């Protein structure tokens, strides 16, 4: 058994990690912001110099990695630290390409948080959008080389990747349904897994126990956020995303999450700006759902069950329930309870409030389901 087992979900709005140490025997959860930025070592040195005398941040909140690429050392800041440098989540790049440095940062943060030695073994299972699933071999090859020798916050780590698995987003939930109800049941069903993410929306189709089709489009939650930005003034995508999600279906001028978005401090302009924001969010949500519904109607075949996941699915819960009122839906509530129990683990490197944890637990169920399956396979082999 490897020293560390990791389920890695490099989401466009949040990197989600489920991991287990061989010495602990129980799952822990960790999250990182999605931003990343390549910087010269001098920039990182200047940042660290400016923090002399201050309390050291947690590894997950002050993450940077460096490794040799074609003879040159490249440094990348990841997550919360990258956000301090005004980095972006790089939605324009292929996810597997940005995931190499993210994975190194994740492994490094876990290692330092848990005081692992400089050398240890790793088994990793990862999710990629169905549209990038064909890149899984390139992802594994590049990650395997990078893990052999890299630095995390200046500490040299040499990690042996003993086992690697990559599956399309949503596959973890499908495998859990098979484990819950048995192969005979699973083989008799036609099941669709819908993953509503920040970057895109994906559909996996399982027939007679096999994945027979997959589709990915660009209709992620960021499309709705983009429309709101276009129709308002001075809004930041990160702050706006959190506010829209927090407001949910209560898109009114009285909602505190929406009121907090107002930039004006002039009393006569506040109400005008507030109404502009409310109208922009309401219109953008209606358009976003219309585009998704049109895609679903043209893409989704007749199925026995629909598995729903992803942060945007929770935001559109009522719309989706109405859409699939005549079809069995699975939202992973049982898995969500298991994730919530794991979130209470004292060793988690987690800073979310209880309310945020409830939402986070839903967003984590695909990675959590994948982890449970991966670990069970490893125990069976052992």
């Amino acid at each position: 058994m490897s020293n560390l087992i990791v389920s890695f979900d490099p989401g466009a709005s949040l990197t989600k990690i489920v991991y287990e140490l061989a010495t602990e025997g129980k799952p822990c959860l960790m999250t990182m912001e999605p931003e990343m930025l390549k910087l010269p070592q001098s920039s990182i040195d200047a940042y660290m110099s400016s923090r002399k005398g201050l309390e050291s941040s947690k590894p997950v909140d002050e993450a940077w990695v460096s490794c040799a690429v074609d003879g040159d050392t490249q440094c990348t800041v990841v997550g919360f630290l990258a956000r301090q440098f005004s980095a972006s989540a790089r939605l324009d790049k292929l996810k597997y390409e940005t995931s190499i440095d993210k994975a190194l940062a994740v492994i490094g943060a876990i290692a330092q948080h848990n005081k692992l030695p400089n050398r240890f073994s790793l088994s990793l299972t990862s999710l990629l959008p169905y549209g990038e699933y064909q890149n899984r071999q390139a992802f594994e090859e590049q990650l395997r080389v990078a893990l052999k020798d890299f630095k995390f916050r200046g500490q040299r780590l040499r990690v042996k990747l003993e086992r690697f698995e990559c599956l399309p987003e949503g596959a973890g939930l499908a495998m859990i349904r098979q484990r819950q109800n048995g192969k005979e049941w699973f083989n008799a069903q036609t099941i669709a897994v819908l993953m509503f993410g920040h970057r895109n929306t994906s559909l996996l189709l399982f027939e007679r126990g096999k994945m027979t089709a997959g589709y990915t489009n660009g209709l992620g939650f960021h499309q709705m956020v983009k429309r709101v930005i276009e129709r308002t003034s001075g809004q930041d995508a990160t702050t706006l995303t959190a506010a829209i999600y927090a407001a949910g279906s209560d898109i009114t001028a009285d909602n505190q999450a929406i009121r907090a978005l107002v930039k004006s401090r002039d009393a006569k302009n506040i109400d005008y700006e507030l109404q502009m924001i409310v109208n922009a969010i309401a219109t953008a949500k209606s358009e976003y759902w219309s585009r998704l519904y049109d895609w679903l109607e043209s893409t989704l075949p007749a199925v026995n069950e629909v598995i729903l996941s992803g942060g945007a699915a929770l935001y559109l819960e009522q719309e989706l329930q109405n859409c699939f009122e005549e079809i069995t839906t699975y939202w992973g509530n049982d898995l969500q309870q298991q994730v919530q129990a794991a979130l209470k683990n004292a060793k988690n490197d987690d800073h979310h409030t209880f309310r945020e944890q409830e939402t986070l637990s839903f967003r984590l169920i695909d990675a959590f389901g994948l982890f449970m399956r991966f670990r069970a396979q490893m125990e069976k082999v052992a």
Side-chain angles (χ1 to χ4, degrees):
M1 187 75 76
S2 299
N3 302 124
L4 176 63
I5 305 171
V6 174
S7 176
F8 174 58
D9 182 2
S13 61
L14 191 70
T15 298
K16 300 170 283 290
I17 306 102
V18 183
Y19 71 92
E20 181 179 296
L21 302 172
T23 55
E24 296 289 335
K26 55 186 176 182
C28 294
L29 306 173
M30 188 173 77
T31 61
M32 293 184 75
E33 287 78 5
E35 288 86 354
M36 59 181 293
L37 181 67
K38 292 191 181 300
L39 289 173
Q41 183 65 51
S42 58
S43 294
I44 298 173
D45 292 341
Y47 169 81
M48 292 306 298
S49 177
S50 70
R51 288 188 53 81
K52 279 187 178 178
L54 299 176
E55 184 179 352
S56 179
S57 296
K58 296 177 181 179
V60 71
D61 290 332
E62 198 173 74
W64 76 88
V65 297
S66 56
C67 56
V69 179
D70 297 327
D72 294 326
T73 299
Q74 294 187 353
C75 299
T76 305
V77 289
V78 182
F80 184 72
L81 179 58
R83 188 169 286 183
Q84 310 314 301
F85 284 94
S86 301
S88 74
R90 296 310 306 266
L91 299 182
D92 58 313
K93 297 191 70 174
L94 291 171
K95 184 177 282 190
Y96 91 94
E97 291 181 330
T98 61
S99 294
I100 303 296
D101 286 329
K102 287 183 181 181
L104 296 180
V106 163
I107 302 307
I110 294 172
Q112 285 197 355
H113 179 65
N114 293 280
K115 298 179 172 58
L116 295 182
N118 290 355
R119 293 174 181 263
F120 58 90
S121 58
L122 167 71
S123 289
L124 184 140
T125 180
S126 180
L127 293 166
L128 283 178
Y130 180 80
E132 293 189 41
Y133 184 51
Q134 63 270 29
N135 295 320
R136 62 191 180 279
Q137 184 175 348
F139 180 35
E140 178 184 0
E141 291 173 353
Q142 293 174 33
L143 180 60
R144 189 177 293 277
V145 171
L147 282 167
K148 287 181 178 179
D149 192 358
F150 72 101
K151 288 185 179 180
F152 177 76
R153 291 163 42 113
Q155 178 187 357
R156 190 176 189 181
L157 295 173
R158 293 183 172 183
V159 181
K160 181 183 180 182
L161 184 59
E162 292 186 332
R163 183 183 176 94
F164 176 86
E165 176 188 68
C166 182
L167 292 174
E169 292 174 348
L173 288 169
M175 298 303 99
I176 285 297
R177 290 300 277 161
Q178 183 188 67
R179 290 184 62 196
Q180 288 174 337
N181 298 311
K183 285 187 177 181
E184 186 176 343
W185 173 88
F186 190 75
N187 293 348
Q189 308 298 311
T190 300
I191 298 174
V193 184
L194 287 169
M195 176 64 64
F196 296 86
H198 189 73
R199 182 190 188 116
N200 47 43
T201 300
S202 296
L203 163 65
L204 301 182
L205 187 66
F206 291 82
E207 298 175 283
R208 301 184 184 183
K210 304 292 183 181
M211 188 176 73
T212 56
Y215 309 92
T216 300
N217 63 36
L219 296 177
F221 192 69
H222 79 283
Q223 291 280 6
M224 177 180 165
V225 176
K226 181 180 177 182
R227 293 291 181 268
V228 177
I229 290 175
E230 291 171 352
R231 292 163 177 162
T232 54
S233 300
Q235 293 298 325
D236 167 71
T238 300
T239 304
L240 186 58
T241 299
I244 292 173
Y245 202 86
S249 59
D250 182 25
I251 308 174
T252 65
D254 294 326
N255 188 288
Q256 291 305 309
I258 294 179
R259 294 188 71 87
L261 292 171
V262 174
K263 303 293 183 182
S264 178
R265 294 295 176 261
D266 191 325
K268 67 177 180 294
N269 292 328
I270 290 177
D271 288 343
Y272 173 80
E273 184 182 357
L274 187 57
Q275 196 56 53
M276 177 191 293
I277 294 171
V278 167
N279 291 342
I281 295 174
T283 301
K285 182 179 182 180
S286 179
E287 292 175 354
Y288 177 46
W289 172 243
S290 293
R291 295 173 70 190
L292 281 173
Y293 182 80
D294 182 69
W295 180 76
L296 289 170
E297 196 173 39
S298 64
T299 308
L300 185 65
V303 296
N304 303 114
E305 178 173 291
V306 175
I307 300 173
L308 297 154
S309 189
L314 199 59
Y315 179 73
L316 296 168
E317 182 176 6
Q318 190 57 57
E319 287 82 358
L320 289 168
Q321 290 283 31
N322 294 339
C323 179
F324 298 119
E325 58 183 353
E326 297 181 1
I327 302 175
T328 301
T329 57
Y330 176 72
W331 289 80
N333 294 331
D334 49 343
L335 276 179
Q336 192 174 358
Q337 291 174 2
Q338 293 180 51
V339 173
Q340 288 173 343
L343 278 169
K344 296 176 183 178
N345 189 310
K347 288 204 73 176
N348 288 330
D349 201 353
D350 188 66
H351 54 267
H352 298 272
T353 65
F354 178 75
R355 178 70 186 96
E356 289 173 331
Q357 286 184 0
E358 286 187 306
T359 300
L360 177 61
S361 64
F362 179 77
R363 299 171 66 187
L364 276 159
I365 59 175
D366 193 26
F368 192 79
L370 192 67
F371 170 82
M372 290 174 61
R373 171 184 173 274
F374 191 57
R375 185 182 61 178
Q377 285 181 333
M378 293 180 64
E379 289 175 348
K380 186 176 180 180
V381 171

